[in-house]
Amino acid sequence: AANNYDAVILGHSQFERIPLSKARQTAFIQMQITDIENEIAVLSEARGERISIKQLELMKKKLTTKLQALNDATVKDNTITFEELGIDFLCVDEAHNYKNLALNTKMSNVAGISGASANKAYDMFAKCRYLDEITCGKGITFATGTPVSNSMAELYTMQRYLQYDTLEELNLLSFDAWASTFGETVTAW
């Protein structure tokens, strides 16, 4: 924020300590709640599995609680926010460390698919969405030698980080739409 550096190298744990502004976090959580509400509406209309709807409602409740905690939180430290740093490009090494990002799906009992999200993955996703907004989708590079280790859901997660707007244009933001286009569920030894 104070100088015009060409590059700043941080460890993953330090990167997580740089918060987005409260307003941006609030808008990001609200966007996710809206996405979940839309998924619930689609599943309800299609008479989807009740268990899937309950999982989505649980995810919505967790996000609502997170939003409430954010709004109720008092500022402890007067820290600089991610937006104030002037970052316009992010190169993430060992990007597979961020594969545990929650996804909405009606699929159940499929290995590697989880509705839970690691905080560091959630933080990275929010910062990627911010950079997409200010750079028109040209501000993020991920490097990893292990993009997919457990399931195709990890590939979908990487696309959400790097190609969110493209997935949105193709109407493939939901994992189920993406999976029906690019994959198939197979039971095998």
Side-chain angles (χ1 to χ4, degrees), residues 7-176:
V8 177
I9 299 171
L10 295 173
H12 290 212
S13 60
Q14 294 304 309
F15 180 73
E16 292 171 47
R17 293 176 188 247
I18 303 169
L20 285 165
S21 67
K22 189 173 182 177
R24 181 152 304 271
Q25 288 181 58
T26 300
F28 183 70
I29 293 170
Q30 192 57 56
M31 178 196 74
Q32 289 186 304
I33 290 171
T34 301
D35 289 347
I36 289 172
E37 288 171 342
N38 291 341
E39 284 288 320
I40 290 171
V42 167
L43 280 175
S44 296
E45 195 174 291
R47 299 227 184 256
E49 293 180 30
R50 185 70 192 138
I51 191 165
S52 299
I53 294 172
K54 283 189 180 249
Q55 288 171 335
L56 289 172
E57 288 170 345
L58 181 63
M59 288 174 76
K60 179 183 171 187
K61 184 177 180 182
K62 285 180 183 177
L63 285 170
T64 303
T65 302
K66 190 173 199 164
L67 183 60
Q68 187 65 41
L70 180 65
N71 289 330
D72 293 344
T74 56
V75 177
K76 296 178 197 166
D77 299 322
N78 190 11
T79 61
I80 193 163
T81 65
F82 186 77
E83 299 98 299
E84 292 171 322
L85 287 172
I87 294 170
D88 59 4
F89 188 80
L90 188 62
C91 183
V92 181
D93 193 19
E94 304 296 338
H96 58 273
N97 288 324
Y98 297 97
K99 67 183 178 184
N100 294 327
L101 185 63
L103 51 93
N104 308 334
T105 181
K106 64 183 178 192
M107 294 182 193
S108 58
N109 298 325
V110 178
I113 296 177
S114 172
S117 183
N119 285 339
K120 68 181 183 178
Y122 179 83
D123 178 66
M124 178 63 75
F125 186 55
K127 290 172 181 171
C128 286
R129 293 299 305 131
Y130 165 72
L131 285 173
D132 280 347
E133 188 178 306
I134 66 167
T135 66
C136 297
K138 293 179 175 26
I140 308 159
T141 296
F142 275 16
T144 180
T146 321
V148 179
S149 60
N150 293 319
S151 77
M152 292 298 286
E154 294 171 13
L155 188 57
Y156 166 72
T157 296
M158 292 299 159
Q159 276 195 283
R160 283 176 65 202
Y161 283 122
L162 301 170
Q163 297 179 310
Y164 189 89
D165 293 336
T166 302
L167 291 174
E168 189 172 44
E169 283 174 28
L170 298 172
N171 202 22
L172 297 175
L173 270 183
S174 82
F175 177 72
D176 296 334

